[in-house]
Amino acid sequence: MVTPVTHVLFDMDGLILDTEPLYTQATVEVAQRYGSKVEFTWDLKVRQMGLPRIDLANLIVKEMALPISPQQYVQETIAIQENLFPEAKLLPGAEKLINHLHRTGVNIAVATSSPKDSYDMKTRRHKELFSKFNHVVNGSDDPEVKRGKPSPDIFVVCASRFASPPD
């Protein structure tokens, strides 16, 4: 017997929205501004993906030998992202899958490490689609999310917030 799907949790960046190139652009722009000779490699990018904002900043400032504080890095990348994020595009198939799940009554939610301000910028052009989710957990801002990815905390918190949580 097949058990029907009742709940689905989505990450957002790189799964629903094509934001990873936008993050890369902001990081490279700040690094170039300060004359960093360290390349923003795929290895470094993967290590910072999904981290809470300040943890990501600590890693990038250290690894790219930037002569600024992590807090300044955050401020400068936010300023760049304010121009980039509103143009975030949906990844192929994301809209079709979300609409199908919503239409068939599957409970869906977003578990993203993005803080609320970034989430709002990224989803500005896609409000109708994102309104189909039961709820969103912004891990960088949510006090119940104690550890960032790769810890599963954000997904556990997100699952617990359904009116009828999954088994």
Side-chain angles (χ1 to χ4, degrees):
M1 180 173 157
V2 176
T3 304
V5 173
T6 59
H7 298 75
V8 175
L9 301 180
F10 286 85
D11 193 355
M12 184 177 68
D13 295 297
L15 182 68
I16 299 173
L17 295 176
D18 191 16
T19 54
E20 292 307 331
L22 307 178
Y23 277 107
T24 297
Q25 185 177 339
T27 298
V28 169
E29 193 172 316
V30 172
Q32 288 175 344
R33 186 178 298 163
Y34 290 97
S36 176
K37 303 292 186 220
V38 179
E39 183 183 352
F40 186 53
T41 62
W42 179 251
D43 177 62
L44 180 53
K45 181 170 182 61
V46 169
R47 288 175 43 211
Q48 56 91 53
M49 290 170 111
L51 291 177
R53 185 180 270 169
I54 196 63
D55 296 342
L56 181 151
N58 283 321
L59 177 68
I60 295 297
V61 166
K62 178 182 175 204
E63 294 294 323
M64 297 194 77
L66 298 176
I68 57 175
S69 69
Q71 292 77 10
Q72 185 175 348
Y73 174 83
V74 167
Q75 290 173 345
E76 292 192 33
T77 55
I78 287 173
I80 296 165
Q81 292 164 352
E82 285 173 349
N83 293 318
L84 298 176
F85 283 170
E87 301 306 315
K89 292 177 175 58
L90 293 170
L91 283 163
E95 185 171 22
K96 184 177 180 181
L97 176 60
I98 292 163
N99 284 331
H100 170 75
L101 293 171
H102 183 261
R103 188 174 54 256
T104 57
V106 175
N107 295 291
I108 55 177
V110 174
T112 178
S113 294
S114 294
K116 179 80 166 87
D117 59 340
S118 291
Y119 170 85
D120 289 341
M121 284 187 274
K122 294 174 197 174
T123 61
R124 189 174 298 151
R125 292 178 50 207
H126 312 289
K127 288 189 181 295
E128 182 181 341
L129 183 66
F130 278 84
S131 73
K132 295 177 180 180
F133 290 98
N134 296 68
H135 57 273
V136 175
V137 173
N138 299 96
S140 291
D141 295 340
D142 194 307
E144 286 187 56
V145 179
K146 302 297 184 203
R147 296 171 297 167
K149 296 174 190 170
S151 166
D153 293 18
I154 190 170
F155 298 105
V156 172
V157 169
C158 192
S160 75
R161 291 190 181 163
F162 284 110
S164 56
D167 294 332

